[in-house]
Amino acid sequence: MKPESGACCQIFFLIFTVAVAYQEAEDGAPGWGWPSIGIAFMVVVVSLVPTLAAADGLTKAQSQVQSAEASLRAAYSKCSLFAESICFYGGEESEAERLEKLYVRVRLGFQSFAMYKLLVDLSQLAFYFGLAPISMAIAAFVVRKGSWTQDSETTFYVLNLTFIRIIRCC
């Protein structure tokens, strides 16, 4: 492991963060130190799968868009270069059809890219905004047996802080 990669620093930061999160969780909600850290890591893993799947499609869609744009630019450049010959031999319609087909490829590729980008953004937003409801559900129903009390509120804040600390590392 090279020291320049920052992996050692990230590992130490993760260990320190887990230790601090454990201590804070145990102080605020006794008995919930390791479960809250485990739940935080499960949330990271569960949200990582759809994000990576959508990101893979996003990179492929972007390469398709770039390829289609390059083909359209090359065809347009050839049309500009050989405009006199195209006009002389009456090839305007065939060239227009060819450029239109290439444009449709660009448009479809961009639509595919936009859909994958939307999926990536939605999965990331669901991940970040989903932390508070998970903390609230755990605090209200699991920790405090269904009734919302002052202890539930403390537990909610402690669990939410634990999640945020762990997720900042990952």
Side-chain angles (χ1 to χ4, degrees):
M1 183 179 315
K2 295 182 180 179
E4 304 90 38
S5 68
C8 292
C9 181
Q10 289 293 325
I11 290 171
F12 289 132
F13 183 68
L14 178 65
I15 291 169
F16 178 75
T17 301
V18 167
V20 168
Y22 172 79
Q23 188 62 41
E24 286 180 350
E26 281 296 322
D27 289 345
W32 275 88
W34 290 118
S36 64
I37 290 170
I39 292 168
F41 278 117
M42 283 192 322
V43 168
V44 168
V45 169
V46 166
S47 66
L48 194 63
V49 171
T51 302
L52 289 177
D56 182 48
L58 182 67
T59 56
K60 290 176 183 174
Q62 183 165 6
S63 74
Q64 288 176 351
V65 167
Q66 289 175 342
S67 173
E69 286 175 342
S71 297
L72 180 63
R73 277 193 306 273
Y76 183 76
S77 177
K78 286 180 182 177
C79 269
S80 296
L81 185 62
F82 300 114
E84 289 181 17
S85 297
I86 292 169
C87 184
F88 180 75
Y89 291 111
E92 296 93 351
E93 288 183 26
S94 63
E95 288 300 317
E97 287 175 12
R98 189 168 68 102
L99 290 174
E100 183 63 30
K101 287 179 184 176
L102 290 171
Y103 170 72
V104 167
R105 275 188 51 212
V106 170
R107 191 174 42 116
L108 292 175
F110 184 73
Q111 286 174 345
S112 173
F113 173 79
M115 288 305 296
Y116 280 112
K117 179 68 172 146
L118 177 67
L119 290 174
V120 168
D121 290 345
L122 287 177
S123 66
Q124 288 177 342
L125 284 173
F127 170 62
Y128 290 117
F129 290 120
L131 296 178
I134 291 169
S135 300
M136 190 178 302
I138 291 170
F141 299 110
V142 178
V143 179
R144 303 300 174 203
K145 307 296 186 239
S147 60
W148 191 261
T149 63
Q150 183 63 33
D151 291 335
S152 297
E153 189 172 332
T154 303
T155 305
F156 164 72
Y157 288 123
V158 168
L159 291 174
N160 204 31
L161 183 63
T162 303
F163 286 176
I164 290 170
R165 284 189 185 281
I166 298 298
I167 289 161
R168 260 189 45 218
C169 287
C170 298

